[in-house]
Amino acid sequence: MNGEKLWNRNYNKVMVTNFTLFFSFYLLAPILPLYLSETFQASKDMIGIVLSGYTVAALLVRPLCGFVVDSFPRKAVLLICLFLYFILFGGYIVAGGLLMFAIVRTLHGAPFGASTVANSTMAIDVLPSSRRKEGIGLYGLSNNLASAIAPTVGLYIYKEIHNFDILFWIAFLTAGIGFYNALTLQCPPRIIQKKRIALSMDRFFLFRGWFMALNVCLFGFCWGVLSNYLAIYSKECMHITEETGSFFLMLSVGLIVSRLQGQKSLREGRLLRNAFQGIFISTAGYILFVVAQGHMLYYLSAILIGLGNGHMWPAFQNMIIAMAERNERGTANSTLLTSWDLGIGAGVLLGGIVAEYWNFRVAFCVMAIVHVIALLIYLCLTVRKYRPLTSS
């Protein structure tokens, strides 16, 4: 057992920054549709259009951010992104109309997407090399905790005081804490290449990891369907109306437990095994969700989906980082996150189309089938392509 410290000061700081980043995001996520409806009397389709701008902006900026993070001092890039993310929360408070709110919300997606790439790359830099696989797996605990706590806090405050401005101020201050925390980061020295390198698509997307990107895109598709249409599906097909929040809480519990449980396997470098276990468990969870008729199976499927994603996501992140050169870590991270965003966007769009022409049960059956296809692609393509690079 090596003596290198995993929980070093700088790693703790990037964990705190990541928590504040996602806490401020998830605090507002469940209440923004209510805000738009109650404050601006926005229709359902208009709410969808306004809120989708955030995801589109994050998707567009992530490949560029990967290049920037690899080409310039990472702390400077991170601080600029976090400052813009922090300050734009003020726009929600002063926006006096739907158009202005839509503009602010869309602009806000860009520094969020860039900050997630920059901070996760910083986490890799501050980890000791012997503990990197383990540390990458634990890094996701911070946003898992945020996703479990923040929506509950946001909905509780909304229910108790029904004041959206207070929620906006809490998000603003939380993001400010994250920015201040990042100011104190001490980065390890890194050589920035001075010679001019011709720009190519390889600087924005790690093409040799395309098979992993395909897998992650399909996983994102399933998550996009589940996260956006769960409440409607639960109400229309399962007659469950009040337990949607509990579903995501159970899912978050699964994510946290699996990340903690999987550390030994990651530390020993068994990435392919971790990924397979995660994909298999989450596939079982998605299938169980589709066939579930009662509350017990409903919640069990949430736990399985959480357990599966908690195993496979850090495995895939470690795998694509292992394929990247030291000066390509930002590109590798942005490749994974961009693929996830693409999948989510496709899931939201196609899930809605399928539900419109058929129904939500068919849409969720398609979701489960896509995850089975992703499992087959992993076994037949990803393992075959990746195995020659490692003995994991």
Side-chain angles (χ1 to χ4, degrees), residues 189-203:
R190 187 171 72 93
I191 298 175
I192 306 292
Q193 290 188 351
K194 298 293 184 182
K195 67 176 183 178
R196 188 179 300 274
I197 301 175
L199 285 181
S200 67
M201 289 302 294
D202 290 321
R203 302 295 291 143

Side-chain angles (χ1 to χ4, degrees), residues 33 36-38 40-50 98:
L36 294 174
S37 176
E38 295 180 14
F40 303 119
Q41 290 74 51
S43 61
K44 291 180 180 179
D45 57 342
M46 182 56 66
I47 290 172
I49 292 171
V50 171
L98 183 61

Side-chain angles (χ1 to χ4, degrees), residues 346-361:
V348 173
L349 177 63
L350 296 179
I353 292 174
V354 171
E356 180 71 23
Y357 279 91
W358 288 277
N359 54 55
F360 278 107
R361 186 170 293 279

Side-chain angles (χ1 to χ4, degrees), residues 16 37 101 106 131 145-146 150 190 192 256 268 302 357:
V16 170
S37 176
F101 186 92
T106 299
R131 309 296 296 273
L145 284 170
R190 187 171 72 93
I192 306 292
I256 293 167
E268 295 171 353
Y357 279 91

Side-chain angles (χ1 to χ4, degrees), residues 25-255:
F25 169 75
Y26 282 114
L27 181 76
L28 299 184
I31 63 99
L32 284 181
L34 299 170
Y35 173 74
L36 294 174
S37 176
E38 295 180 14
T39 306
F40 303 119
Q41 290 74 51
S43 61
K44 291 180 180 179
D45 57 342
M46 182 56 66
I47 290 172
I49 292 171
V50 171
L51 297 183
S52 66
Y54 193 95
T55 303
V56 172
L59 174 62
L60 291 176
V61 80
R62 273 175 170 161
L64 177 62
C65 184
F67 166 72
V68 173
V69 164
D70 287 334
S71 304
F72 298 95
R74 283 177 180 154
K75 181 178 178 179
V77 174
L78 175 62
L79 290 176
I80 292 171
C81 295
L82 287 173
F83 178 76
L84 292 173
Y85 177 72
F86 154 57
I87 209 68
L88 277 170
F89 274 110
Y92 297 161
I93 300 170
V94 302
L98 183 61
L99 177 60
M100 181 57 68
F101 186 92
I103 292 171
V104 172
R105 182 64 179 171
T106 299
L107 290 174
H108 206 185
F112 174 77
S115 296
T116 55
V117 173
N119 199 59
S120 59
T121 307
M122 183 69 74
I124 296 167
D125 283 349
V126 301
L127 281 165
S129 58
S130 63
R131 309 296 296 273
R132 188 165 293 142
K133 294 183 177 69
E134 185 182 1
I136 290 174
L138 284 170
Y139 175 78
L141 276 176
S142 50
N143 49 280
N144 292 156
L145 284 170
S147 66
I149 298 170
T152 304
V153 172
L155 289 169
Y156 175 79
I157 293 173
Y158 167 78
K159 180 181 177 183
E160 292 298 317
I161 61 177
H162 206 83
N163 189 315
F164 292 106
D165 281 347
I166 289 179
L167 284 162
F168 293 150
W169 275 109
I170 293 173
F172 178 82
L173 293 173
T174 303
I177 291 170
F179 171 68
Y180 177 78
N181 176 71
L183 283 172
T184 62
L185 270 171
Q186 295 179 344
C187 308
R190 187 171 72 93
I191 298 175
I192 306 292
Q193 290 188 351
K194 298 293 184 182
K195 67 176 183 178
R196 188 179 300 274
I197 301 175
L199 285 181
S200 67
M201 289 302 294
D202 290 321
R203 302 295 291 143
F204 303 97
F205 187 90
L206 198 70
F207 277 96
R208 57 182 174 277
W210 67 268
F211 49 93
M212 291 186 205
L214 173 61
N215 254 155
V216 170
C217 186
L218 293 176
F219 300 145
F221 176 94
C222 300
W223 181 255
V225 175
L226 181 72
S227 60
N228 283 270
Y229 301 116
L230 173 70
I232 299 176
Y233 175 85
S234 300
K235 181 180 179 180
E236 292 187 1
C237 300
M238 302 186 68
H239 309 294
I240 294 175
T241 57
E242 298 180 356
E243 290 86 356
T244 304
S246 299
F247 181 94
F248 281 112
L249 181 61
M250 299 302 290
L251 191 149
S252 297
V253 169
L255 282 167

